[in-house]
């Protein structure tokens, strides 16, 4: 089947969904408001495929900005299924990656961004050192300087015009701290992640020719999860799309905006969708959740959005579990009483189809301890995981290990996918065809000679690091932080470390897609789905936190809603008996549970 036939065949599924069909057939600026389980990723990828085939002619292409690397990987996989591989015509990545690779690196000298020669992206360790020095030079109080990092970052992200009176007068102390912190980074030849979109925006605002250069390469800009991407991206869109002529196709849901602490603002999506020069479409169907869960999700949100399950959808069931005592005892009851009952009721349910979601990583510690005590295999995707799930290098190493521990037999994952992932992770280094060919040959040889699930992971990691990763990571502009992540993990594998006996096979079973229960914070669960979901610790004072303002209360409700809508078949709400969250109480009352 030809590439064009693949996207045309996929689009046939849109005929019974007016929102998806309207998005697919749109010709100008288009915003798609897509609720949970609404098929937004399919809508976006099929639309991208159509625009590449019909609207954008070689050598020009399409840029698609996503919230995080996991979203980018999902879009790449979906596009590959439609016969489209990322390359010179297709950019898929985060707003930080887009800013750095498409604007800052190619244009920083002529645009006068005044960056150090051969600059790199600061690691967490380097950022902390710069923060400490900046704090001493500006505030120099008794406080822990790192407690100022979050308000400082919010200030940087919210006031984009450094020449404005607002920058200096709204909070002079934070303004001075920002400037001292950035100056310290520059003295060390560094930028950080927040610098990337801020510098790119400066270049776009100050130089019409930069905007024209981006237009020449990418006449279409797609944005996924628009509500999560903040003020810098919003101003990029205004400049590139509504002043320069790039066509916009944006997908998002203000009701799932849960990253206010990073500067995300759902109002930006609302403003965009209200523009007269934008076609706005809504996807009304929730294909993920059972019909009762769909209906109750609007009670969780506290708003009527008109979402509905399609005809013939399963019913779905919601259970409430008021438990006594502390979270440690409640977690034990989850694994010894509630989970066995669920497994008996759904005989074909696997552990990999189950998630336990909670507000914070410290709650996850009690759940992980209880799972271990019950002999339940699990994978954590919160801040206390063995390594950060956002790490592109560690996620790539997981897939390498899975292939080496049996994946080579069944083709899952495909070796070609592992190679393609490496080309994306190290895209700024593996540039020439000769470099790519040499890397691919060496990688295949290494993986083929290490097909031993019993090999000590420490030895495998050290070989991988010496043969492949050291030179690449040390030379990369973008991956400095990955060096610290990899070294920290290897330290845990050394003699006397907490996981010194871990084998390659155990590591290969630690990633997503294996038969293990997922333990995740509510924030980290966004975009995922499971047959059975346990919302754990849904207590007043936890969600929402005590004494929060109106904006934080609304975001807590949205966070509860996000967790609520991860469930396909069964949703279990676990709370302390005498202090259920006000959100839990409202849902229970609306569906008639006392």
């Amino acid at each position: 089947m030809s590439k064009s036939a693949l996207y045309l065949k996929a689009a046939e599924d849109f005929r019974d969904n007016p929102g998806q069909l309207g998005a697919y057939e749109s010709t100008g600026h288009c915003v798609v408001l897509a609720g949970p389980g609404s098929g937004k990723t399919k809508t976006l990828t099929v639309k991208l495929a159509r625009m590449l085939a019909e609207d954008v002619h070689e050598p020009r292409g399409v840029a698609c900005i996503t919230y995080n690397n996991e979203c980018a990987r999902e879009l790449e996989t979906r596009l590959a299924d439609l016969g489209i591989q990322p390359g010179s015509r297709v950019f898929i990545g985060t707003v930080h990656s887009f800013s750095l690779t498409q604007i800052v690196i190619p244009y920083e000298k002529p645009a006068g961004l005044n960056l150090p020669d051969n600059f790199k992206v600061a690691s967490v360790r380097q950022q902390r050192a710069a923060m400490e020095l900046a704090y001493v030079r500006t505030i120099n109080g008794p406080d822990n300087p790192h407690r100022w990092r979050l308000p400082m970052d919010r200030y940087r992200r919210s006031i984009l015009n450094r020449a404005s009176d607002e920058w200096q007068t709204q909070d002079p102390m934070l303004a001075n701290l920002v400037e001292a912190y950035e100056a310290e980074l520059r003295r060390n030849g560094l930028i950080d992640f927040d610098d990337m979109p801020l510098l790119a925006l400066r270049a776009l605002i100050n130089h019409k020719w930069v905007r024209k250069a981006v237009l020449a390469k990418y006449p279409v800009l797609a944005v996924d999860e628009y509500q999560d991407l903040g003020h810098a991206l919003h101003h990029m869109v205004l400049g590139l799309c509504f002043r320069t002529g790039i066509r916009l196709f944006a997908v998002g849901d203000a009701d799932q905006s849960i990253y206010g602490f990073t500067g995300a603002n759902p109002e930006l999506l609302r403003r965009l969708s209200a523009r007269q020069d934008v076609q706005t479409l809504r996807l009304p169907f929730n294909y993920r959740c059972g019909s009762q869960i769909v209906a109750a999700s609007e009670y969780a949100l506290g708003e009527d959005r008109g979402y509905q399950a399609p005809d013939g959808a399963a019913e779905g069931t919601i259970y409430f579990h008021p438990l006594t005592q502390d979270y440690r005892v409640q977690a034990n009851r989850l694994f010894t009483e509630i989970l066995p009952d669920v497994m008996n009721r759904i005989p074909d349910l696997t552990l990999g189809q189950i998630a336990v979601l909670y507000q914070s990583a410290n709650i996850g510690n009690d759940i992980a301890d209880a799972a271990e005590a019950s002999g339940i295999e699990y994978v954590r995707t919160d801040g206390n995981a063995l390594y950060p799930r956002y790490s592109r290098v560690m996620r790539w190493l997981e897939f390498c290990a899975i292939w080496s521990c049996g994946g080579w037999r069944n083709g899952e994952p495909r070796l070609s996918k592992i190679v393609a992932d490496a080309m994306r992770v190290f895209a700024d280094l593996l540039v020439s065809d000769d470099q790519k060919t040499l890397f691919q040959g060496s990688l295949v040889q290494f993986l083929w000679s290490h097909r031993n699930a019993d090999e000590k992971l420490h030895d495998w990691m050290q070989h991988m690091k010496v043969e492949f990763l050291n030179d690449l990571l040390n030379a990369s502009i973008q991956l400095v932080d990955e060096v610290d992540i990899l070294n920290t993990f290897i330290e845990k594998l050394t003699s006397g470390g907490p996981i010194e006996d871990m084998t390659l096979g155990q590591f290969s079973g630690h990633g997503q897609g294996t038969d293990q229960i997922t333990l995740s914070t509510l924030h980290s669960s966004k975009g995922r789905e499971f047959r059975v979901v346990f919302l754990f610790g849904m207590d007043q004072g936890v969600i929402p936190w005590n004494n929060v303002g109106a904006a934080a209360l609304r975001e807590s409700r949205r966070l509860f809603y996000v967790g609520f809508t991860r469930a396909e078949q069964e949703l279990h709400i676990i709370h302390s008996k005498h202090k259920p969250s006000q959100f839990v109480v409202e849902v229970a009352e609306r569906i008639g549970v006392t």
Side-chain angles (χ1 to χ4, degrees):
M1 186 178 292
S2 68
K3 292 182 180 180
S4 61
L6 289 173
Y7 84 81
L8 291 170
K9 180 175 176 57
E12 292 175 5
D13 295 338
F14 296 163
R15 296 191 181 278
D16 296 326
N17 188 313
Q20 288 181 309
L21 185 61
Y24 177 73
E25 294 182 340
S26 64
T27 57
H29 298 314
C30 182
V31 171
V32 181
L33 302 179
S38 59
K40 64 100 176 171
T41 303
K42 180 174 183 178
T43 304
L44 175 57
T45 51
V46 175
K47 180 63 173 178
L48 286 171
R50 182 179 191 181
M51 290 189 292
L52 279 165
E54 300 178 17
D55 303 336
V56 180
H57 303 294
E58 294 188 27
R60 305 175 83 192
V62 172
C64 182
I65 293 176
T66 67
Y67 178 68
N68 57 32
N69 290 316
E70 291 294 321
C71 294
R73 188 178 293 110
E74 172 69 11
L75 288 173
E76 288 170 351
T77 300
R78 297 281 191 102
L79 281 172
D81 291 340
L82 297 175
I84 298 170
Q85 298 293 337
S88 59
R89 291 191 68 214
V90 185
F91 172 89
I92 300 176
T94 64
V95 64
H96 301 92
S97 178
F98 178 80
S99 299
L100 182 66
T101 63
Q102 306 302 311
I103 300 174
V104 175
I105 289 177
Y107 306 127
E108 64 100 358
K109 291 297 185 187
L113 296 180
N114 298 318
L115 293 179
D117 292 337
N118 302 315
F119 69 87
K120 286 192 173 184
V121 179
S123 68
V124 171
R125 173 176 46 81
Q126 290 168 325
Q127 291 175 50
R128 288 177 65 86
M131 184 69 187
E132 289 166 4
L133 285 171
Y135 179 82
V136 169
R137 289 170 181 161
T138 55
I139 299 171
N140 199 24
D143 205 356
N144 179 344
H146 301 294
R147 292 181 60 184
W148 288 74
R149 182 62 193 260
L150 186 57
M152 183 191 78
D153 285 344
R154 283 176 178 160
Y155 203 74
R156 293 172 82 192
R157 296 164 183 158
S158 60
I159 304 176
L160 302 179
N161 184 1
R162 299 283 179 89
S164 67
D165 290 339
E166 183 184 15
W167 173 258
Q168 289 296 341
T169 60
Q170 181 168 309
D171 194 323
M173 191 176 292
L174 283 177
N176 291 335
L177 181 60
V178 169
E179 292 168 4
Y181 167 76
E182 291 177 351
E184 185 59 33
L185 288 180
R186 301 299 183 271
R187 271 191 287 272
N188 290 283
L190 301 169
I191 66 173
D192 71 1
F193 279 92
D194 272 349
D195 276 317
M196 297 177 192
L198 295 176
L199 290 166
L201 182 61
R202 188 186 309 166
L204 291 169
I205 289 174
N206 293 338
H207 302 285
K208 183 178 180 180
W209 63 265
V210 176
R211 300 196 297 272
K212 292 289 188 181
V214 178
L215 168 63
K217 188 173 184 179
Y218 299 118
V220 173
L221 175 65
V223 183
D224 188 23
E225 303 287 8
Y226 195 96
Q227 75 283 349
D228 292 332
L229 291 165
H231 289 267
L233 182 277
H234 183 66
H235 284 272
M236 283 187 204
V237 166
L238 295 180
L240 289 172
C241 299
F242 300 107
R243 299 191 188 102
T244 308
I246 292 177
R247 177 179 165 191
L248 174 67
F249 187 84
V251 181
D253 181 12
D255 293 333
Q256 295 187 75
S257 179
I258 57 174
Y259 299 107
F261 57 90
T262 69
N265 182 354
E267 184 59 31
L268 301 178
L269 176 60
R270 296 189 183 102
R271 289 180 203 164
L272 185 69
S273 64
R275 289 180 63 107
Q276 294 298 310
D277 51 357
V278 167
Q279 179 185 10
T280 298
L281 299 161
R282 183 178 290 275
L283 304 187
F285 293 108
N286 181 330
Y287 296 101
R288 174 191 301 151
C289 307
S291 57
Q292 288 193 7
I293 298 173
V294 173
S297 69
E298 296 198 333
Y299 308 150
L301 182 62
E303 301 279 353
D304 183 4
R305 295 288 186 255
Y307 292 126
Q308 55 188 295
D311 292 341
E315 203 170 69
T317 312
I318 303 172
Y319 297 86
F320 295 83
H321 303 279
L323 303 182
T324 57
Q325 300 182 278
D326 60 21
Y327 287 154
R328 179 181 54 82
V329 174
Q330 293 182 24
N332 284 327
R333 288 191 61 184
L334 165 60
F335 290 112
T336 59
E337 299 174 21
I338 302 172
L339 179 60
D341 183 56
V342 173
M343 302 294 283
N344 288 333
R345 187 166 54 250
I346 312 175
D348 65 334
L349 183 67
T350 65
L351 294 180
Q353 297 170 325
I354 303 169
V356 184
L357 311 180
Y358 39 87
Q359 172 67 292
S360 58
N362 63 309
I363 297 175
N365 293 338
D366 287 330
I367 299 169
D369 290 344
E372 287 187 14
S374 299
I376 302 292
E377 295 289 332
Y378 66 89
V379 57
R380 293 185 71 166
T381 61
D382 60 25
N384 288 337
L386 279 177
Y387 41 85
R389 303 301 299 176
Y390 61 77
S391 167
R392 287 177 285 171
V393 170
M394 293 301 298
R395 295 287 287 118
W396 177 71
L397 289 171
E398 284 178 4
F399 285 112
C400 290
I402 292 169
W403 188 90
S404 297
C405 295
W408 60 275
R409 290 193 185 94
N410 55 31
E412 192 60 41
R414 298 187 304 276
L415 188 57
S416 59
K417 184 181 186 309
I418 291 174
V419 173
D421 283 349
M423 297 303 169
R424 287 190 288 275
V425 172
F426 305 112
D428 59 331
L429 301 169
L430 302 176
V431 178
S432 71
D433 289 339
D434 288 344
Q435 288 174 315
K436 293 176 182 178
T437 300
L438 180 62
F439 177 86
Q440 179 174 340
S442 300
L443 177 63
V444 170
Q445 183 178 6
F446 175 86
L447 295 178
W448 191 256
S449 63
H450 286 267
R451 292 170 297 141
N452 178 8
D454 295 325
E455 182 176 1
K456 290 287 290 290
L457 182 59
H458 177 270
D459 298 339
W460 185 87
M461 281 283 186
Q462 284 286 31
H463 285 305
M464 179 68 85
K465 183 181 174 186
V466 170
E467 295 186 32
F468 295 101
L469 298 180
N470 269 344
D471 290 343
L472 290 170
L473 292 177
N474 290 333
S476 175
I477 292 175
Q478 303 182 60
L479 300 176
V480 175
D481 207 36
E482 297 279 4
V483 176
D484 286 346
I485 292 172
L486 180 62
N487 288 338
T488 298
F489 183 68
I490 291 176
E491 285 177 14
K492 295 178 181 178
L493 296 167
T494 56
S495 179
I499 50 172
E500 61 174 311
D501 295 324
M502 181 175 274
T503 64
L504 183 63
Q506 290 171 324
F507 178 68
S508 73
H510 193 77
Q512 295 175 6
T514 55
D515 193 25
Q516 300 165 301
I517 285 182
T518 294
L519 308 185
S520 171
T521 59
L522 290 163
H523 283 97
S524 295
S525 73
K526 189 167 176 291
R528 305 193 64 193
E529 55 189 45
F530 305 89
R531 285 181 71 184
V532 175
V533 168
F534 298 95
L535 297 183
F536 187 93
M538 297 295 104
D539 294 347
Q540 194 69 14
V542 175
I543 184 167
W545 301 117
N546 289 323
N547 304 317
V548 296
L553 181 63
R554 288 193 296 271
E555 182 158 301
S556 289
R557 184 183 281 280
R558 294 194 295 267
L559 184 61
F560 180 67
Y561 171 71
V562 164
F564 203 99
T565 52
R566 301 309 94 196
E568 299 172 0
Q569 187 171 348
E570 289 191 3
L571 174 66
H572 295 257
I573 300 176
I574 298 173
H575 62 86
S576 297
K577 186 172 184 178
H578 300 297
K579 55 175 183 178
S581 166
Q582 65 192 75
F583 309 143
V584 173
V585 173
E586 290 172 23
V587 172
E589 289 177 347
R590 294 289 296 275
I591 65 177
V593 174
T594 58

